[in-house]
Amino acid sequence: ATNQIYSDEGMWLFNAPPRKLLKEKYDFDPSPQWLEHIQKSSVRFNSGGSGSFVSPDGLVLSNHHVGADCLEKLGSAEKNYLRDGFHARTREEELRCHDLELNVLMSIEDVTDRVKGAIKPGMSADQAFAARRAIMAEIEKESMDKTSLRSDVVTLFEGGKYHLYRYKKYTDVRLVFAPEQQIAFYGGDPDNFEYPRFDLDICFFRAYENGQPAKIEHYLKWNEQGPSENELVFVSGHPGGTSRSLTMDELEYKRDVQFPFTLERLHRMEVLLTVFSARSEENARRAKDTLFGVQNSRKAREGGLAGLLDPELMNKKRSEEQRLKSAFKDSGQYDNALAAFAKIASAQKIIRQNALQYNMLEGAAGFNTHFFGIARTLVRAAEERGKPNGERLREFRESARESLEFQLFSEEPLYGDFEQVKLADSLTYMTEKLGFENPLMQKILAGKSPRDRAAELVFGTKVKDVAERKRLYKEDKAAFESSSDPMIQLVLLIDAPARAVRKILEAQDELKRQAYGEIAAAKFAVQGASTYPDATFTLRLAFGQAKGYEEDGKQIPYETTIAGLYERSAQHKNQPPFDLPPRWQERKERIDLGTPFNFVTTADIIGGNSGSPTINRNGEFVGIIFDGNIYSLVLDFVYTDAKARALSVHSHSITEALRKVYDAPDLVNELLGKN
């Protein structure tokens, strides 16, 4: 069977790049030095997103919508950085983000044999899960003790391989520059996932070490020319997750259960947040980043569900699965792999039966407030700390402790009224789903309406106070059991059923992992190992060409210009969401309107790639990923380059705007290495 890799498909591992493919199609052979340079110039935003170092002084570039979390938390009623933008003209003015952690991948080590070796024949699913969790925690702690780098064992090929990723961590990250949200997200929700586009979706940060700007060896040199048409480019970033190697049983589960549930929840939250925002400008500021995230997810899931409901796509997936099974049958030595498909189907049945309970309790869909998350982390930390490292819930393992504490003790502002509105709505939603008469639901509501119960929980808890969190974090389990804090009481009330349903799902996931491991091993044997695993929010290399596409008989060009921005605004009489920020109206005469603004490539991306650098073959920065077009939303399940495109902001539009709209020559000089 030939390996089904198409044209520019692939989210490739840095330790298994698509050398042969690149050589054959583009006559390009990335050297180990080139790969190392790109790897170490790439940055992961732990809040969800990607970025890159663009100067030796720790300057990091990502998207405005990746930086929005920090912008919102630094803002106040007086200072709306999300709306108005921000520019630190000196290093002293750079503002430290509350809880932003950046990770840079330093090394990758294959630990597959060690992880798989921990699973002994005859183990039950529960035992196997415990053994796997223990060995992963052990490998991570060993690595962290030895190197003091953040160490994560990453599951690849759904359990076919395990790699140890070591990251250098930056937790002192400061905001340097952000444009107004209106130009970063120009065209708003109507234009989201569309093209042509005119977005300056950028945000600059600086990484600090020991109170000084970090000294960076690997950073991307700036190329103002950007890519020419059909030129080869690379995208180095952290795609969040894809479902391309899933069996048909799993895809049907996503189609019938998971996506409809998620969409129902997102639609509900979107209405709630829109109504909350409409009440006052300050409400709108507090909810803006959350609302953007919800709308973005809703549009992405709608595109994904459309793919799963497309008979052509599903038939293609079905025939691929049949071909694979036939290849296994014909060789006569992969009975285990064939049996694995049935194991996945039966695990999926049990997951389906428990999904609602899991989502509501363990997934906390019924408790939508930061205070619940904080209280649960405190309660569980007290219990998990007492266990050996390898037996703890995965998020409490020793190697993850620093990052967990960094988040837990964040000084980010939290607003009681906003938290109450979110919690009341999610309690209502849970009541609808589990039924008002459900005995657990009755205990959760404690004889009150969702709205009154939410008020009691939010305004009665002390976990809002960071000093109180630090005090509680040192307490033992008994202290929590005698606590009168209503939010802590709520966590204790649902913790046993939440853990129980988590245990059921973890056991089924373990069975699936073993089954996918069998399929992966057989697949490598039949097709060869020159393929890539599904995305896991870890660093990947994608490649493609800067090129347009055809839509409704029209050729869509590969790049837009700044002139197009002003034309778009004029077409819509400068009405929201197509209005121009005042500064862009005032400075129009200064700008070179022929400057390329956004461009599209065939590179293979998905959510999480936001902020990834687009790089030319010389390893130079030519753009930054900020979106995909509507046709790219099926990339979760299958790659296509017919119309699916990755959208980037052009490097030249960034320096042009910094020079002529934002009066930021200091930043331009730093980017061009002229300091």
Side-chain angles (χ1 to χ4, degrees):
T2 56
N3 197 4
Q4 299 288 318
I5 293 285
Y6 300 96
S7 50
D8 297 335
E9 177 181 349
M11 300 175 180
W12 299 88
L13 299 171
F14 268 76
N15 54 343
R19 281 230 154 81
K20 193 162 159 284
L21 244 149
L22 285 168
K23 188 86 188 104
E24 283 168 11
K25 188 169 178 193
Y26 293 109
D27 194 28
F28 180 69
D29 191 9
S31 67
Q33 292 77 15
W34 188 92
L35 287 162
E36 184 195 11
H37 177 63
I38 302 301
Q39 175 185 315
K40 291 181 178 171
S41 300
S42 305
V43 175
R44 181 171 75 176
F45 277 64
N46 238 19
S47 52
S50 303
S52 56
F53 283 121
V54 286
S55 94
D57 293 331
L59 193 66
V60 173
L61 177 55
S62 185
N63 288 147
H64 185 278
H65 74 265
V66 173
D69 182 56
C70 171
L71 286 165
E72 183 185 46
K73 288 172 182 175
L74 287 171
S76 63
E78 295 71 51
K79 294 196 180 85
N80 192 336
Y81 297 133
L82 202 53
R83 183 191 63 206
D84 303 330
F86 175 83
H87 180 193
R89 297 196 177 270
T90 62
R91 300 269 162 103
E92 291 68 44
E93 288 173 19
E94 294 176 357
L95 294 180
R96 185 167 181 170
C97 296
H98 286 290
D99 47 18
L100 181 54
E101 179 183 312
L102 302 182
N103 299 145
V104 179
L105 180 60
M106 302 311 281
S107 68
I108 304 172
E109 188 184 320
D110 191 330
V111 291
T112 307
D113 294 345
R114 212 175 141 189
V115 174
K116 288 191 168 176
I119 313 298
K120 304 290 181 245
M123 277 184 170
S124 72
D126 284 337
Q127 290 167 328
F129 175 80
R132 198 183 300 266
R133 178 169 67 186
I135 189 72
M136 284 163 77
E138 184 184 313
I139 292 168
E140 287 164 342
K141 180 156 185 346
E142 230 170 68
S143 162
M144 203 173 117
D145 290 346
K146 193 170 84 185
T147 63
S148 75
L149 295 172
R150 173 177 173 149
S151 301
D152 298 339
V153 173
V154 178
T155 304
L156 301 164
F157 298 103
E158 262 64 48
K161 293 196 172 168
Y162 294 86
H163 290 174
L164 171 65
Y165 279 42
R166 293 194 179 108
Y167 297 98
K168 184 167 170 58
K169 247 181 5 185
Y170 296 93
T171 50
D172 181 351
V173 183
R174 304 186 197 179
L175 178 65
V176 176
F177 173 88
E180 308 87 339
Q181 189 181 33
Q182 184 43 28
I183 193 69
F185 189 43
Y186 185 77
D189 193 48
D191 267 10
N192 197 10
F193 294 115
E194 299 295 339
Y195 191 75
R197 282 285 274 291
F198 310 93
D199 288 20
L200 188 72
D201 196 348
I202 60 164
C203 196
F204 286 96
F205 297 89
R206 196 179 301 282
Y208 278 72
E209 273 190 298
N210 310 319
Q212 296 298 315
K215 288 281 160 252
I216 303 299
E217 183 191 350
H218 291 283
Y219 64 93
L220 300 176
K221 296 227 166 31
W222 199 267
N223 178 321
E224 277 193 299
Q225 299 308 303
S228 53
E229 193 159 9
N230 297 322
E231 185 182 328
L232 169 67
V233 293
F234 295 87
V235 173
S236 173
H238 303 81
T242 50
S243 314
R244 295 182 192 173
S245 57
L246 298 188
T247 63
M248 286 309 295
D249 284 292
E250 286 227 55
L251 288 177
E252 284 161 6
Y253 171 77
K254 281 185 181 293
R255 179 192 66 198
D256 302 338
V257 181
Q258 194 181 342
F259 274 44
F261 174 83
T262 306
L263 272 166
E264 182 182 22
R265 198 171 154 224
L266 289 168
H267 281 295
R268 182 176 188 120
M269 283 169 71
E270 187 173 358
V271 172
L272 174 84
L273 294 166
T274 305
V275 172
F276 178 80
S277 300
R279 285 189 205 140
S280 73
E281 198 175 319
E282 176 57 8
N283 277 11
R285 185 191 70 77
R286 291 175 186 182
K288 191 146 196 185
D289 183 40
T290 312
L291 178 58
F292 171 81
V294 166
Q295 288 176 326
N296 200 41
S297 300
R298 183 251 309 147
K299 217 161 181 180
R301 292 298 171 287
E302 280 170 350
L305 183 59
L308 292 169
L309 292 170
D310 175 3
E312 198 183 328
L313 185 147
M314 289 299 259
N315 290 338
K316 182 181 174 192
K317 297 298 285 187
R318 200 167 280 115
S319 60
E320 274 173 19
E321 186 168 299
Q322 280 314 120
R323 270 205 304 277
L324 193 61
K325 285 178 174 171
S326 303
F328 292 167
K329 266 199 194 90
D330 296 347
S331 66
Q333 49 187 4
Y334 299 118
D335 293 348
N336 284 358
L338 280 167
F341 287 96
K343 285 182 184 157
I344 290 165
S346 77
Q348 212 46 57
K349 267 202 191 81
I350 295 170
I351 290 171
R352 187 182 284 230
Q353 289 155 7
N354 291 280
L356 182 64
Q357 189 87 348
Y358 178 88
N359 287 328
M360 287 301 167
L361 302 180
E362 182 61 26
F367 309 101
N368 183 16
T369 163
H370 284 295
F371 296 145
F372 178 83
I374 291 164
R376 176 148 79 180
T377 301
L378 291 166
V379 168
R380 286 189 169 177
E383 186 164 345
E384 297 298 308
R385 246 196 320 257
K387 301 176 183 173
N389 183 37
E391 288 171 28
R392 297 177 197 168
L393 294 176
R394 188 126 170 84
E395 61 271 27
F396 293 97
R397 65 194 190 277
E398 205 48 46
S399 60
R401 190 167 55 90
E402 279 180 15
S403 295
L404 177 111
E405 290 171 4
F406 182 57
Q407 291 296 327
L408 182 61
F409 304 137
S410 163
E411 297 276 356
E412 70 161 298
L414 295 169
Y415 307 100
D417 56 344
F418 188 32
E419 298 302 313
Q420 184 206 343
V421 165
K422 291 187 299 180
L423 180 56
D425 183 70
S426 58
L427 286 171
T428 306
Y429 182 48
M430 182 161 56
T431 311
E432 288 171 21
K433 288 288 176 199
L434 300 184
F436 184 72
E437 300 296 335
N438 179 308
L440 183 61
M441 202 62 240
Q442 285 292 311
K443 284 184 192 160
I444 289 167
L445 290 173
K448 296 185 178 64
S449 71
R451 194 172 176 173
D452 290 345
R453 182 68 169 130
E456 173 181 67
L457 288 160
V458 166
F459 296 109
T461 186
K462 293 192 175 65
V463 301
K464 180 178 181 179
D465 178 31
V466 179
E468 176 69 2
R469 281 178 227 169
K470 288 184 171 163
R471 185 188 74 74
L472 286 170
Y473 189 63
K474 299 190 182 88
E475 294 287 0
D476 61 2
K477 203 179 160 188
F480 287 100
E481 279 163 357
S482 60
S483 165
S484 60
D485 189 302
M487 196 65 82
I488 285 169
Q489 286 297 321
L490 175 68
V491 169
L492 289 167
L493 168 70
I494 69 141
D495 207 43
R499 282 175 180 264
V501 72
R502 171 169 172 163
K503 195 164 190 265
I504 294 169
L505 262 69
E506 284 177 342
Q508 298 314 309
D509 280 336
E510 172 59 34
L511 291 171
K512 288 202 308 193
R513 213 172 255 210
Q514 291 177 24
Y516 275 115
E518 297 280 1
I519 294 171
K523 217 168 162 176
F524 293 145
V526 172
Q527 298 181 344
S530 62
T531 184
Y532 63 93
D534 265 320
T536 49
F537 195 45
T538 49
L539 190 65
R540 300 296 178 87
L541 187 68
F543 62 90
Q545 291 172 283
K547 70 175 184 192
Y549 55 99
E550 197 176 288
E551 183 178 55
D552 305 330
K554 284 206 310 279
Q555 192 53 38
I556 309 289
Y558 83 103
E559 63 179 14
T560 62
T561 62
I562 296 182
L565 167 73
Y566 289 97
E567 286 158 24
R568 191 108 170 92
S569 159
Q571 279 163 6
H572 289 273
K573 302 190 169 47
N574 204 38
Q575 290 304 300
F578 300 100
D579 49 319
L580 291 163
R583 184 182 329 226
W584 282 78
Q585 297 178 36
E586 291 153 19
R587 306 259 166 130
K588 183 180 176 184
E589 304 310 314
R590 296 187 184 186
I591 301 168
D592 175 358
L593 297 179
T595 307
F597 201 169
N598 293 166
F599 64 90
V600 287
T601 68
T602 56
D604 195 354
I605 62 153
I606 199 86
N609 272 119
S610 286
S612 303
T614 307
I615 301 162
N616 64 17
R617 59 171 79 203
N618 299 330
E620 297 164 333
F621 180 99
V622 294
I624 175 172
I625 296 287
F626 70 95
D627 205 358
N629 66 359
I630 205 86
Y631 306 107
S632 73
L633 294 175
V634 298
L635 295 182
D636 192 353
F637 311 109
V638 63
Y639 175 81
T640 159
D641 66 1
K643 293 182 185 177
R645 292 292 183 272
L647 277 56
S648 295
V649 184
H650 196 288
S651 56
H652 194 185
S653 67
I654 297 172
T655 43
E656 182 72 7
L658 290 173
R659 281 187 188 104
K660 298 184 183 167
V661 184
Y662 297 102
D663 305 322
D666 50 321
L667 261 179
V668 176
N669 289 337
E670 186 172 354
L671 292 173
L672 299 179
K674 292 180 177 168
N675 278 15

